[in-house]
């Protein structure tokens, strides 16, 4: 903390600091604690039925992935295309496509793992969505709100016979409720089944498409600014779609010859 009239150094850098002299929109970002992304992030909406790319997006590297879905939805609307299934990375779970989805849209995503060392994890607690009550393994109930944190009374936890299996905190056990906790529970239950794991593997085609686009576009931005780099990404998407159409025509011709 700096005192009045005295300069001091602060460890770290500004979150939105500029990283390029030539391009004022480039930023530093992180895919994980160990993997850094510089410049921009590319986003691709891949049609699993046709293998075509329906829409793309560009964001600075420090912007959350979910923010791009508004622009992608606008592209889909212009094509009069609608989503029936959404196979996404976990970074897009907070997007408006998920938060504002209709009951007809199925979401497929690998949920975050739930861990709590060797003690009771969140899945050991029962959530009653109708009454909005959470029940701990010792059958004690507390009200909850999606997006909030439930704090069990420290007095009750201190006297609980299951405390050693639940928490070491002297303040009692707390449980965070995600805004989309119901969806996360559904995703975890689905990925425990064989059909659910098969559906999750369908997203491999999306990863292949991203790899193809990355190979053609390269790892370095060709232009200055997000607008021109979005144009370049759309150009690469068109090239990808032309390759897909050419392969499908060749396959159709081979099937006709075989018949």
């Amino acid at each position: 903390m700096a005192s009045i009239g005295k300069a001091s150094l602060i460890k770290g850098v500004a979150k939105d600091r500029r990283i390029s002299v030539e391009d004022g929109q480039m930023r530093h970002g992180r895919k994980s604690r160990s993997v850094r992304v510089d410049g921009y992030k590319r986003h691709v909406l891949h049609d699993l039925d046709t293998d075509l790319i329906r829409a793309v997006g560009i964001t600075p590297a420090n912007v959350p992935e979910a923010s791009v879905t508004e622009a992608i939805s606008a592209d889909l609307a212009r094509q009069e295309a609608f989503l029936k299934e959404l196979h996404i990375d976990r970074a897009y779970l907070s997007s408006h496509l998920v938060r504002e989805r209709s009951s007809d849209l199925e979401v497929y995503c690998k949920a975050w793992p739930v861990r709590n060392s060797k003690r009771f994890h969140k899945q050991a607690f029962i959530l009653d969505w109708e009454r909005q009550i959470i029940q701990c393994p010792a059958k004690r109930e507390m009200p909850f709100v999606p997006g909030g944190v439930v704090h069990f009374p420290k007095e009750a936890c201190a006297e609980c016979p299951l405390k050693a299996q639940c928490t070491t905190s002297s303040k009692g056990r707390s449980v965070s409720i995600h805004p989309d906790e119901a969806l996360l529970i559904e995703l975890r239950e689905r990925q425990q089944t064989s059909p659910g794991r098969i559906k999750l593997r369908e997203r491999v085609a999306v990863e292949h498409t991203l790899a193809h686009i990355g190979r053609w576009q390269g790892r370095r931005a060709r232009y200055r600014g997000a607008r021109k780099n979005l144009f370049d990404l759309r150009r690469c998407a068109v090239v990808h779609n032309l390759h897909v159409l050419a392969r499908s025509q060749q396959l159709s011709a081979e099937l006709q010859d075989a018949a």
Side-chain angles (χ1 to χ4, degrees):
M1 181 180 293
S3 59
I4 299 176
K6 184 178 180 181
S8 63
L9 294 177
I10 299 175
K11 185 178 180 180
V13 297
K15 181 180 178 181
D16 200 44
R17 74 185 180 99
R18 181 169 175 165
I19 68 170
S20 172
V21 174
E22 297 179 340
D23 190 340
Q25 293 180 301
M26 283 187 173
R27 294 294 185 269
H28 283 311
R30 287 196 175 274
K31 187 175 179 63
S32 65
R33 289 185 178 181
S34 59
V35 180
R36 194 177 73 183
V37 181
D38 294 331
Y40 299 100
K41 294 177 185 175
R42 63 171 71 94
H43 310 266
V44 172
L45 182 67
H46 172 99
D47 189 331
L48 290 174
D49 292 329
T50 63
D51 285 336
L52 297 173
I53 294 176
R54 286 288 192 149
V56 297
I58 283 283
T59 58
N62 67 337
V63 173
E65 282 86 341
S67 64
V68 78
T69 57
E70 295 282 357
I72 286 179
S73 293
D75 283 349
L76 287 178
R78 283 190 285 267
Q79 301 173 45
E80 297 184 354
F82 302 94
L83 295 171
K84 293 182 178 179
E85 293 182 354
L86 196 58
H87 298 253
I88 55 175
D89 183 84
R90 288 184 291 219
Y92 298 93
L93 280 174
S94 60
S95 69
H96 85 285
L97 291 176
V98 176
R99 295 281 173 86
E100 303 171 13
R101 69 189 182 282
S102 66
S103 58
D104 298 329
L105 179 61
E106 292 286 343
V107 177
Y108 296 95
C109 176
K110 191 172 182 180
W112 285 280
V114 178
R115 300 187 182 96
N116 190 26
S117 184
K118 297 180 180 180
R119 297 177 178 85
F120 293 131
H121 51 66
K122 188 190 294 186
Q123 290 177 281
F125 291 73
I126 300 174
L127 295 175
D128 186 332
W129 292 98
E130 292 185 1
R131 298 189 299 150
Q132 287 206 326
I133 293 294
I134 182 172
Q135 184 184 90
C136 74
K139 308 301 181 183
R140 184 174 184 86
E141 295 184 342
M142 291 285 292
F144 75 86
V145 176
V149 180
V150 178
H151 297 279
F152 287 86
K154 62 180 181 180
E155 296 82 6
C157 289
E159 299 173 357
C160 180
L162 301 178
K163 180 185 177 182
Q165 299 172 258
C166 189
T167 182
T168 58
S169 174
S170 60
K171 298 180 180 179
R173 178 66 187 265
S174 62
V175 179
S176 298
I177 309 297
H178 194 275
D180 281 322
E181 190 69 41
L183 173 62
L184 294 176
I185 292 173
E186 178 187 340
L187 295 178
R188 291 190 188 103
E189 291 176 350
R190 187 185 298 158
Q191 69 192 37
Q192 299 300 320
T193 65
S194 179
R197 289 191 292 271
I198 291 173
K199 291 296 290 185
L200 285 177
R201 286 196 289 271
E202 291 183 15
R203 193 175 172 276
V204 173
V206 182
E207 298 294 342
H208 289 169
T209 296
L210 282 169
H212 294 163
I213 293 294
R215 183 186 65 194
W216 291 326
Q217 193 180 26
R219 296 179 60 86
R220 296 178 63 86
R222 298 184 183 214
Y223 304 100
R224 299 174 187 172
R227 186 179 67 86
K228 290 184 178 180
N229 282 295
L230 175 60
F231 172 82
D232 186 50
L233 180 56
R234 285 175 170 163
R235 177 186 62 83
C236 291
V238 170
V239 173
H240 168 85
N241 290 344
L242 290 174
H243 278 252
V244 172
L245 293 173
R247 286 197 302 268
S248 62
Q249 291 176 356
Q250 182 180 0
L251 179 60
S252 298
E254 290 176 355
L255 292 175
Q256 289 178 359
D257 293 340

